[in-house]
Amino acid sequence: MKPMVHKHQSKKTIMVGKTILSIVLCFSFIVLLPSCKRKKLEEVVEVPLPSAEEKITIGHPDDVKADDGQFALTKLPYEYNALAPNIDILTMEVHYSKHYLTYTNNLNKLVAADANLTDLSIEDILKKLDINNTDLRNNAGGYYNHSLFWESMAPKAGGQPKDTLATIIDRDFGSFDVFKNQFTDAAEKQFGSGWAWLIVDKTGKLVVTSTPNQDNPLMPKQTISGTPILNLDVWEHAYYLDYQYKRKKYIENFFKIINWKKVSERYQEATTPKT
Ligand code: MN
């Protein structure tokens, strides 16, 4: 009998044990489930939400104003999104309202501090530049180069020039395609930051060249000097948001938005003797 009683008691103990285990499991499940939910919620809350200041807002180009000074911003002759998809809205906005504005404000400070520069045009400042004056070189260059660049582009533009300039491109390069290849090459092979240029040299001939940083062909001691009529910004800030490392694609698309009407006007101006 003793073993029987023992067996019965032991069976009862196992059953009680199972019941306790079930209750513990159920209880843990009930307690743990909401705590899991809580943890998930906390994780969601932990993700930082953008503050009002960080929200990306695209302003209007006309609302961007340089600080008072000798030089004003060249008005952007189209909206920030007007050159899309060849140049995206955010690149245009940052380029115009941040980079270009900074060069302009810096230039105005430098000009205000140097009586020799008062009332000089930007072209004259560049032509008379002391190339060792790095601050003036970078900011006067940055101001001039970008001012020219904005007007070198237009929506629904591109193609090829149709007037005198077309004849002159054929005369000096052989064909438009030869010019296009040379310009593309200059822009693509400019190592690091810089610009590609189409200029009129002192003999009246069209020449393609490139410059590093914010240098340009008006400055002294350039490899090739002349009057710029077209330029392309190949600094990464000009294309990296949209094109990343694909500079060649950016150059290719630039040809779809070149404002040849404006470039032709500049050609006429550069080759008309001043009276
Ligand atoms: Mn730029």
Side-chain angles (χ1 to χ4, degrees):
M1 284 299 282
K2 267 183 185 174
M4 285 282 287
V5 170
H6 182 72
K7 204 177 174 183
H8 178 75
Q9 277 178 339
S10 128
K11 204 175 183 180
K12 202 175 175 184
T13 309
I14 289 165
M15 276 179 71
V16 169
K18 273 186 180 170
T19 312
I20 291 170
L21 187 65
S22 306
I23 291 168
V24 166
L25 279 175
C26 282
F27 188 71
S28 332
F29 188 70
I30 290 161
V31 169
L32 285 175
L33 187 65
S35 85
C36 277
K37 272 187 185 163
R38 270 204 304 277
K39 202 175 177 199
K40 271 187 183 167
L41 271 175
E42 276 162 16
E43 277 166 4
V44 170
V45 173
E46 274 167 20
V47 175
L49 295 167
S51 64
E53 292 79 16
E54 285 169 338
K55 269 182 195 157
I56 295 171
T57 48
I58 305 284
H60 194 272
D62 289 352
D63 296 335
V64 186
K65 299 273 184 267
D67 300 339
D68 282 344
Q70 197 160 313
F71 296 99
L73 297 178
T74 289
K75 187 179 148 59
L76 196 68
Y78 38 79
E79 301 289 327
Y80 289 135
N81 64 356
L83 304 179
N86 302 301
I87 298 182
D88 68 283
I89 182 170
L90 195 57
T91 298
M92 278 308 300
E93 200 254 357
V94 172
H95 205 172
Y96 185 80
S97 74
K98 304 291 189 292
H99 293 272
Y100 179 50
L101 180 67
T102 305
Y103 288 120
T104 308
N105 286 337
N106 287 346
L107 171 64
N108 279 334
K109 274 182 212 147
L110 294 166
V111 169
D114 187 344
N116 294 322
L117 304 175
T118 311
D119 295 336
L120 287 186
S121 68
I122 186 61
E123 287 84 358
D124 284 340
I125 289 177
L126 292 167
K127 286 174 189 168
K128 291 173 181 175
L129 179 76
D130 168 8
I131 212 78
N132 297 313
N133 185 344
T134 314
D135 269 355
L136 188 61
R137 181 180 180 173
N138 289 339
N139 290 295
Y143 173 74
Y144 174 86
N145 298 351
H146 287 94
S147 301
L148 197 89
F149 182 53
W150 309 133
E151 295 186 333
S152 293
M153 302 179 286
K156 294 173 193 151
Q160 297 186 15
K162 290 180 185 74
D163 45 19
T164 314
L165 186 60
T167 317
I168 303 300
I169 285 176
D170 286 345
R171 183 196 73 188
D172 293 343
F173 294 97
S175 71
F176 181 82
D177 284 346
V178 174
F179 152 72
K180 189 177 174 180
N181 286 340
Q182 271 192 35
F183 190 90
T184 300
D185 232 41
E188 202 186 350
K189 289 180 180 157
Q190 170 54 45
F191 185 75
S193 300
W195 294 78
W197 302 89
L198 174 63
I199 64 168
V200 182
D201 76 5
K202 60 176 184 293
T203 68
K205 190 174 181 275
L206 292 177
V207 184
V208 163
T209 185
S210 64
T211 56
N213 305 314
Q214 294 296 356
D215 286 359
N216 65 50
L218 288 176
M219 292 177 179
K221 296 182 178 168
Q222 298 299 304
T223 326
I224 300 175
S225 305
T227 308
I229 60 169
L230 171 70
N231 66 348
L232 173 59
D233 191 340
V234 293
W235 282 60
E236 285 186 348
H237 69 231
Y239 64 90
Y240 213 86
L241 283 179
D242 195 24
Y243 291 92
Q244 289 92 45
Y245 59 91
K246 289 167 268 184
R247 189 194 278 193
K248 184 148 193 194
K249 188 79 191 156
Y250 161 68
I251 300 164
E252 212 177 287
N253 287 343
F254 172 69
F255 274 86
K256 297 175 186 168
I257 47 173
I258 295 178
N259 183 356
W260 285 113
K261 191 172 166 282
K262 186 71 195 176
V263 179
S264 291
E265 281 170 28
R266 289 176 185 151
Y267 174 78
Q268 294 301 337
E269 207 177 301
T271 51
T272 306
K274 285 181 181 66
T275 48

